Amino acid sequence: MSRYLATSESVSEAHPDKVCDQISDSILDAILREDAYARVACEALITTGLVVVTGEITTKCYVDITGIVREKLKKVGYCDVCSGFDYQTCAVIVMIDEQCPDIGLAVDRKGAGDQGMMVGYASNEAEAAGFSSEYMPVPIFLAHGLTRKLRDVRLSGVLPYLRPDGKAQVTVEYDSGKPVSLSTLVLSAQHSPEIELEQLRRDLKKEVIDKVMAPTGLGSNDAQLLINPAGKFISAGPRVDVGLTGRKLAVDSYGISARHGGAAFSGKDPTKTDRSGSYAARYVAKNIVAAGLADRCELQLAYAIGMEEPVSLTVDTFGTGKVDDRKLEKLIREQFDLTPAGIIETLDLRRPIYEATAAFGHFGRLEEGFTWEVCDRVDDLRKAT
């Protein structure tokens, strides 16, 4: 198939599902600041006037979970009735238990805390279009760019009538695996009732779409632009949409461009390979592509509870590898420590770095704490091949 379309979405930091992810990771970070070896599996639910926090946490410290919840709601913009949710007056219910002792023993032995599959992916596809996407698939990279820009123009006052909720969806046309044009772009932004729909659409195109798309060279003039396609978008957020931790897995990872193991990241400490294994798989895949050993690389890992080494490791370079995939698998096992303890040490994961990951994706971001995005093994991989 020479020409095809690929689509991915992103949602704002105030989308109810993303609010729950951020609540879970804010609690995790607060605990890790006091107890780096805590075991945390924390989840949240949000709906009209209510936040529920639950999960299993084993720690030596105390954190004010209710206060963390309210501070996060305030930070994302749910500050009054007009936004659809008020951080000061909502109810917060906390129901926390301790981690199962049997699982704890498995982790104490430096084994994986559960079975599961993890996927990491990287691609240099954006280079063909003349821009950088940090080795991420172009559709998800652009979708995150749009939702970040929505946040920026709201907080800076460029578009003061915007409210916190919003989402974006990007469809890119590919030719022989390379992005060649923007096909369809969907952008929906919550707003105050007084703004006229036509002005909103003009403003969003000028201040958000054009500024995100201009550096890519893919263009937007010939694409189908659907800006608030349903019309006015006034009521939004938890008042109209229940949110849950871990319900935006494709948004968190690579969109539809790569497979997914099925487990969520947010709210889990790094002994959970759902999170740390996925970060390690991305780290390996990105270094392989950055080293020029493949144009695309997907790394699949699987772990068994209580076992240190992954029970399977599979590489797929989709025919773009400069080295045979089976040789790459052997090389990865030789060059990378993919035990849970090895991953935690290599990527320095026992730190409060996770709140930032819970909105706008866990990958493709060169920011403080995103150690799995560092291409520091390129020379080692080249020498080994």
Side-chain angles (χ1 to χ4, degrees):
M1 183 169 58
S2 178
R3 299 185 77 91
Y4 60 92
L5 300 177
T7 303
S8 292
E9 72 160 342
S10 177
V11 297
S12 78
E13 79 278 21
H15 185 283
D17 292 331
K18 280 285 114 194
V19 170
C20 290
D21 286 339
Q22 291 169 90
I23 287 172
S24 297
D25 274 337
S26 295
I27 293 168
L28 171 62
D29 279 356
I31 292 172
L32 290 178
R33 287 187 188 97
E34 305 297 326
D35 181 2
Y37 291 85
R39 307 282 169 76
V40 181
C42 178
E43 306 201 17
L45 175 149
I46 190 168
T47 186
T48 306
L50 174 66
V51 178
V52 178
V53 179
T54 187
E56 298 79 43
I57 298 176
T58 300
T59 182
K60 300 174 183 178
C61 72
Y62 167 80
V63 298
D64 178 10
I65 291 178
T66 299
I68 292 169
V69 170
R70 296 193 189 281
E71 184 61 28
K72 172 50 62 178
L73 292 169
K74 179 183 179 182
K75 186 175 180 180
V76 300
Y78 289 125
C79 301
D80 52 45
V81 176
C82 292
S83 67
F85 200 91
D86 186 354
Y87 78 97
Q88 299 180 90
T89 60
C90 69
V92 179
I93 299 174
V94 179
M95 303 176 67
I96 298 292
D97 205 345
E98 292 191 342
Q99 183 185 57
C100 169
D102 295 335
I103 295 175
L105 286 174
V107 177
D108 291 339
R109 295 194 297 266
K110 298 186 177 180
D114 201 354
Q115 66 184 41
M117 299 78 66
M118 300 87 213
V119 176
Y121 181 82
S123 170
N124 64 9
E125 63 189 56
E127 294 179 5
F131 69 99
S132 171
S133 66
E134 274 309 316
Y135 299 101
M136 287 292 285
V138 168
I140 190 74
F141 178 79
L142 294 179
H144 286 320
L146 291 166
T147 53
R148 278 196 298 268
K149 195 65 175 177
L150 268 184
R151 175 201 59 188
D152 293 345
V153 297
R154 174 175 63 87
L155 295 179
S156 66
V158 172
L159 300 181
Y161 54 78
L162 291 182
R163 288 178 176 171
D165 205 353
K167 54 175 54 179
Q169 182 173 285
V170 176
T171 301
V172 173
E173 183 175 9
Y174 285 74
D175 188 357
S176 302
K178 304 300 181 183
V180 293
S181 65
L182 177 68
S183 175
T184 304
L185 188 153
V186 184
L187 184 65
S188 297
Q190 185 189 12
H191 57 87
S192 59
E194 64 269 13
I195 191 69
E196 292 296 328
L197 188 58
E198 290 309 310
Q199 181 186 342
L200 172 75
R201 287 171 171 162
R202 287 194 303 270
D203 289 349
L204 289 178
K205 183 178 186 304
K206 176 183 176 183
E207 299 295 342
V208 178
I209 295 173
D210 290 349
K211 292 186 177 179
V212 170
M213 291 301 305
T216 70
L218 295 177
S220 59
N221 293 332
D222 297 328
Q224 183 179 30
L225 302 182
L226 303 175
I227 304 172
N228 279 37
K232 287 189 174 292
F233 184 13
I234 298 168
S235 296
R239 188 170 71 179
V240 300
D241 187 11
V242 172
L244 294 169
T245 299
R247 200 160 60 176
K248 286 290 180 285
L249 303 185
V251 172
D252 284 341
S253 51
Y254 309 99
I256 66 167
S257 298
R259 283 160 279 206
H260 196 288
F265 307 147
S266 290
K268 297 175 181 177
D269 75 80
T271 67
K272 277 71 171 174
T273 49
D274 293 339
R275 179 169 226 156
S276 55
S278 297
Y279 290 173
R282 163 66 176 175
Y283 174 61
V284 174
K286 186 175 183 181
N287 274 271
I288 285 174
V289 175
L293 303 184
D295 294 329
R296 295 171 64 198
C297 180
E298 182 183 83
L299 174 64
Q300 299 178 37
L301 300 174
Y303 291 85
I305 188 168
M307 304 295 291
E308 288 193 64
E309 296 289 342
V311 297
S312 75
L313 186 160
T314 304
V315 171
D316 189 350
T317 59
F318 308 93
T320 71
K322 311 304 186 291
V323 179
D324 180 76
D325 289 354
R326 303 294 81 79
K327 291 183 179 179
L328 279 178
E329 291 168 5
K330 183 175 183 294
L331 176 66
I332 290 167
R333 287 189 180 273
E334 292 171 349
Q335 292 289 322
F336 295 91
D337 185 350
L338 295 175
T339 65
I343 293 168
I344 290 171
E345 181 178 359
T346 299
L347 301 181
D348 195 11
L349 297 180
R350 292 194 186 276
R351 297 179 295 146
I353 57 175
Y354 299 104
E355 181 185 353
T357 69
F360 311 119
H362 292 244
F363 307 117
R365 299 168 61 180
L366 299 182
E367 301 172 29
E368 179 73 24
F370 286 71
T371 51
W372 49 94
E373 293 297 320
V374 177
C375 295
D376 59 354
R377 299 301 305 278
V378 167
D379 290 341
D380 294 336
L381 291 169
R382 287 173 177 165
K383 289 176 183 177
T385 56

